[in-house]
Each structure stands twice: as structure tokens, then as C-alpha cells.
Amino acid sequence: MQRGDGSSFFARMDCLSVRKDGATAGVHIVLIDISLSRQAEEELRIAAIAFEAQEGMLVTDANGAILRVNKAFTAITGYTTEEVVGRNPNLLSSGRHGKAFYAAMWEEINRRGCWEGEIWNKRKNGEVYPEYLIVTAVKNPDGVVSNYVATLTDITMSRHAADEIQHLAFYDTLTRLPNRRLLLDRLKLALSGSSRSGREGALLFLDLDNFKTLNDTLGYDIGDLLLQQVAQRLQSCVREGDTVARMGGDEFVVMLEDLHEQDLEAASQTEAAGNKILAALNQPYRLAGHDFRNTVSIGATLFRNQQSGVDEIFKQADIAMYQAKKAGRNTLRFFDPEMQARINARAALESELRAAIDARQFRLYYQIQVDSSRRVLGAEALIRWMHPERGLVQPVEFIHLAEETGLILPIGEWVLETACAQLAVWQAHARTRELSLSVNVSARQFHEAGFVDLVRVAVKRHAVNPMLLKLEPTESILLENIDDTVSTMNALKSIGVHFSLDDFGTGYSSLQYLKMLPLNQLKIDQSFVRDLESDSNDQAIVRTIIAMAHSLELEVIAEGVETEEQRQILLNEGCHRYQGYLFGKPVPIEELDTLLRRDG
Ligand code: C2E
Ligand code: MG
Ligand code: MG
């Protein structure tokens, strides 16, 4: 620029700019020309102070050779003045930006006279860091670029600050739980994860009952204490991998993942988790010297098959939560009314099942087993529940629940006792002395520590020939802890009892495992017998099982034999023992006696 007296000077560049973060960044005044006028000296002094600003500064000549840098520049980059003067600023390049990036930068500097933006540079120690850079072209009175001025701000945040920001963005400050945003992220992930794995997930929406009253009476500080303690209790109720989040106020969400594939099973797992939460939050609180009790209402929904997205899932859980409030609070409700009904029915069944043991509502039915000349070899004991209102309940309706709840242990004990008592009765009569009795045992019973003793005591108490007692585990006992299974079976074998492997062919038995077990018999599952006449696959399977039994020197029996044709095919394949409606349905002991007298 030209002064009045004709001497030239560098005036400020009015290239005021606004950064992405909203702060206004002025473009700095740099005077390169050294005029000796007083005013010029004054400006020079100001410029020198401005030059030593907080931001790093660098001045180059028109060719890009560095003329000066300030102290902040050295602090940021690690390079001293001596190290950089005369060199090109590209010594700071990190290598993270391509040619096109720099070309665009220079194009803008040439056109507008300045460029600004975020850029990755490299310090002397090799560390790559992000900086905010403003480059300004300084022109002489003829409009020719004489210098370039760059200001650079280190925008690396300390790790701590970054973590803190991350925490603020995704976590609730009061409870340190994930917030709504993080929960939404996780729910989206969980949704795609569960549709991939086929395993259910559940969202539980929790709202504290009467939280407002606490806030109103004891104040917000005490309210905050309660929320913190609730958060802790919730976390102690869930498994690793589940999420507890705070939505705000007194609303929390628990997300359960990796639940059972079947919705009813998953719902009952969800209910169990919900009950645990209800119990935990029902415990008294101690809040800064005040004793306090509180409850929570929970709404739940399963989410695996939800096409409608996360908002819908939240809405469902929220609606269910209001149903829980309406139902009197301190309870859990499912969004799906049908699911709620099934869960209620199951809960009712469980409590009735519990009572049935003491009320002696179980009976054993007996189904005969015969050989190829229809001679009765023995029977299988099959449990029935004589329900006071529902009448006769089949085992399919309650054995599974009994296994899940552990009620199978007392039930199984009763079955074993009753079966041994029956064997003792048979033993006392010549006609029935040789009959064997098969008793089903669940994997749960089998893996129970006291099972071997239970069998030993029952056999002893009733003084029965242990060889006539045939335990019928299914292949599922091989699923967990095979070593344990083998040693349990060997201990039982030493008592003298026999084994028949039930539902054979439906499980996972490998020949290798079978060889390890002290089995006496394989029982061909009825699903292979059902269509034996028409299905060549089933014929092949049955043939293989029979061959397998023979090569392992085991007896083989077929269950579910309903027709003479089925019996004939089995006989032709080498199976000489049968059980099924063709010979007799499971019947109470009195009817079995009649049957035996008739046949005997
Ligand atoms: P399972 O041990 O495989 O018993 C055979 C099932 O097939 C019995 O059903 C029997 O009634 C049925 N069945 C027998 N012959 C025929 C036939 O010709 N056709 C057809 N369609 N079915 C036939 P049930 O009595 O309903 O028992 C079902 C399952 O419940 C049993 O299967 C067993 O796994 C379990 N169970 C029964 N009693 C007990 C018990 O005391 N303890 C345990 N842990 N489980 C038991
Ligand atoms: Mg059986
Ligand atoms: Mg079976």
C-alpha cells in the first residue's frame, strides 16, 4: 500500500474469518516493511506484540521460504527459529493429505488471498496432530505477493478432555449410566445382532413409583441420591453385556440381550430379570440419614422380530410400563397381551406344580414293552398329573417347566420311589417277578450331585433287584460335561441298574461318546417309527441305529409302534423289542395288572 508520503507499508489484511467452532478468528497484522517513520515504528512495536500471540505464527517470503516463526510455533511444532528459517513449511506435512488437498488450498489462497481450515501436521517428534490453520497472502503495492503469513492453532484435545466429552455425550452425569443416545445406538446394534443370531432381546422400561413425592418432601438432593442408588442396584441385577440406561428423570431402561430363541422362553427370562429388579428396588434405601422405601413399574417388550424400528420398540415398552402402573404399580407387564397371558398361565402352572408335590397329585402310568412274540418284558413308567380342576395333565405340559424351575428334582425323586415300590410288588409275585421297569430321568436330575445316592437308597429301601430298574436318560445328558456323565453312569452301574438311551437319534450322540457309556439299550425315537412304512429316510435311519446297537452289543427297542406294518419292518431289520399303542397305551397300575393277567 501507498502512504501519503509515497513510502510503502503493509497494512492489515481484512480477511476476517469465522472458524468451524464459531469463534471469530481475525487475520493477523504483520508488517514486514521497515519504514523508519515514527508511526511505522509504533506499528512495528504493535506488530511484534501481536506476533507473539497464543497462536503459532509463521511468515514466509513469496517463494515459501520461512522468514520468521514465533514462540507459540516452537511450542506447538517443536521446531526452533534456527531450525526452520529458510526452509519450506512443508516440513510440517503429516502425509495425511493428498496433492489435491494442497492444490485446492493454494488455488484458494491465490484467488481469495487466504485459506483456512483443519489440517493434520507433524511435530518435530513425529507426532501427527490436528491444527487449525489460516494462511494469508500479503501483497505489495503492486498487488504482487511478497509474503505468506500462517497462524496455526493446535486443536489436539488432551485424552482426558476427549474422554470427558465422550462421557458427557453418551452418559448420564448423575448416575454415570449410558444415556438415551448411547442406548439407542446399542439397541440398533442389538436389533441387527438378534435377527442374525436368532436369539431374542428385551427392552424393559422402568419408571419409579412416587418419585415426585420424594423430591417434593425431601428435596432434589435426596432425589438424586435415590436415583444413584437405583442405578447401582439395577446394574447388579443384569448380566454382563446387558445395558442399564437412564432416560432422564426417574426413567430407566434395561436392555437384555442373548435371550432364548423361543419367545415364551425369552419372555420368562425377561420376567425373571424383571422380578429380580422389582425385588432389588423394593429393598429399603438409606438416603442421607433418611430411611426410604420405593417401588418401580416395568414395561417389557421383546424385540427380535420387530421390523418397525427402535422408536416403535420404545413406544411398546412405554405403553407396557403404563399398563404396569395401571395394574397397581410395583409390577411388570408385557406389551403383547397374548404374551402376558401366556406368562401368567405359566406362572400359575409353576405355583400349582409346586403345590402338586405336597398334595400328591402325581400318578405313574405304565406302558408295556414286548418282544417279537408279544411276551411282556416290562414297562415304562410315565408320569401324569391329576390336576383338581384341569383333570389329567400330560407330561409335555409340565415336565419342561419342572426342569426349568428345578421342581423336577422332588418330582423325579417321587417317581423313583414309586417305581421302586412297584418293582418290589412285582418281585413278590411269580408272574411278574422278571418284569423290568423303565424310569425317565432328566438331564437336570442326572447332573444333580445326590442322584447316585438317591437311586442307591431307593433300590435298597425297597430291596429290589437293581437289574430290573432301567434308567432312561436322553441324549441331552451328553451335551454338557461328558466326563461327569460317564462317572455318574459308572457309579450307577456299580449299583447294578441298567440304562436305556431314550429318544435315540434325535440328539447328538457320536459313536465315540456312546462307546464311553455303560449303556444296555438304545431306544429308537418314535419320530423315526411314525412314517416307517412310507419314508425311506426313516427306514435308513432305523436300519443304521439297529446296526449301531448290534455292533456296540446293545439291546435295541423301538417306541411309538402303532401298526403291525411298523412292527414287521422293525422285525425284519433286526429289532425285537417294542413299545407302543399297538401293544398297549400307558395305563394306571390297576389296568396294567388286568392286562398282565390276561396276557400271562
Ligand atoms: P418318552 O420317555 O419318550 O415317552 C414316550 C412317550 O410316547 C410317552 O408320552 C408315551 O405315552 C408316548 N407313546 C407311547 N407309545 C406311543 C405310540 O404308539 N404312539 C404315540 N403317538 N405315542 C406313544 P408321554 O407319556 O406323554 O411322555 C412324554 C415324555 O415326557 C416322555 O417321553 C418323557 O420324556 C417325559 N416323561 C414322562 N414321564 C416322565 C418322568 O417320570 N420323568 C421325566 N423326567 N420325564 C418324564
Ligand atoms: Mg422314556
Ligand atoms: Mg422316548
Side-chain angles (χ1 to χ4, degrees), residues 502-503 523 525 559:
D502 204 355
D503 303 346
K523 195 168 195 182
D525 188 65
E559 69 181 350

Side-chain angles (χ1 to χ4, degrees), residues 3 9-12 29 31 37-49:
R3 284 206 200 96
F9 70 103
F10 290 108
R12 54 174 284 163
I29 312 160
L31 298 180
S37 74
R38 262 184 68 86
Q39 192 193 349
E41 266 177 42
E42 179 70 3
E43 292 196 9
L44 199 60
R45 213 170 52 79
I46 295 168
I49 292 167

Side-chain angles (χ1 to χ4, degrees), residues 292-525:
F292 184 71
R293 291 196 93 100
N294 195 41
T295 56
V296 64
S297 297
I298 308 177
T301 191
L302 299 179
F303 61 65
R304 182 189 46 199
N305 288 322
Q306 302 256 5
Q307 314 295 340
S308 35
V310 293
D311 290 344
E312 177 63 20
I313 296 168
F314 268 101
K315 214 161 76 193
Q316 291 179 356
D318 196 31
I319 290 170
M321 191 274 294
Y322 278 100
Q323 283 161 357
K325 293 262 184 213
K326 256 182 27 203
R329 304 176 170 208
N330 195 20
T331 187
L332 177 144
R333 280 291 174 275
F334 278 90
F335 169 72
D336 180 0
E338 191 201 330
M339 181 60 73
Q340 186 63 49
R342 285 160 73 193
I343 281 286
N344 290 350
R346 191 189 171 100
L349 190 69
E350 185 185 331
S351 66
E352 288 170 359
L353 197 56
R354 232 169 255 285
I357 301 170
D358 292 334
R360 305 191 153 272
Q361 291 169 1
F362 297 111
R363 296 280 178 283
L364 282 188
Y365 273 35
Y366 299 84
Q367 184 177 31
I368 54 167
Q369 301 177 335
V370 301
D371 67 9
S372 45
S373 55
R374 292 197 176 231
R375 191 168 62 96
V376 179
L377 301 169
E380 175 175 10
L382 293 158
I383 196 169
R384 300 291 182 263
W385 179 7
M386 303 302 177
H387 193 282
E389 285 115 43
R390 300 175 207 222
L392 192 150
V393 184
Q394 299 290 340
V396 281
E397 290 184 50
F398 65 88
I399 288 292
H400 188 65
L401 184 62
E403 285 170 345
E404 238 180 53
T405 52
L407 288 171
I408 194 67
L409 300 175
I411 293 174
E413 198 174 334
W414 174 84
V415 170
L416 197 63
E417 271 295 313
T418 311
C420 286
Q422 187 55 49
L423 265 179
V425 172
W426 283 348
Q427 251 178 208
H429 297 92
R431 195 164 32 81
T432 51
R433 181 165 297 153
E434 315 258 281
L435 297 180
S436 69
L437 187 53
S438 297
V439 171
N440 294 289
V441 277
S442 298
R444 176 93 188 243
Q445 290 173 267
F446 207 85
H447 292 299
E448 184 72 12
F451 185 63
V452 176
D453 283 336
L454 208 71
V455 174
R456 186 181 293 120
V457 168
V459 164
K460 228 182 171 150
R461 183 180 8 252
H462 298 281
V464 295
N465 177 0
M467 283 172 49
L468 296 174
L469 179 64
K470 208 180 273 182
L471 299 181
E472 275 197 13
T474 61
E475 285 172 277
S476 63
I477 54 158
L478 297 169
L479 282 180
E480 47 185 297
N481 204 343
I482 178 82
D483 293 340
D484 180 55
T485 300
V486 172
S487 72
T488 302
M489 283 183 89
N490 281 326
L492 288 164
K493 190 193 170 187
S494 71
I495 300 171
V497 299
H498 281 194
F499 295 102
S500 179
L501 199 56
D502 204 355
D503 303 346
F504 189 73
T506 59
Y508 306 89
S509 314
S510 70
L511 211 51
Q512 189 194 355
Y513 281 173
L514 287 180
K515 279 198 321 213
M516 293 163 71
L517 305 177
L519 292 171
N520 304 87
Q521 189 178 66
L522 296 184
K523 195 168 195 182
I524 303 172
D525 188 65

Side-chain angles (χ1 to χ4, degrees), residues 42-71:
E42 179 70 3
E43 292 196 9
L44 199 60
R45 213 170 52 79
I46 295 168
I49 292 167
F51 194 66
E52 290 304 338
Q54 296 290 320
E55 290 150 322
M57 292 187 79
L58 154 138
V59 183
T60 74
D61 64 16
N63 296 320
I66 296 173
L67 300 171
R68 297 179 68 167
V69 295
N70 68 356
K71 291 196 187 92

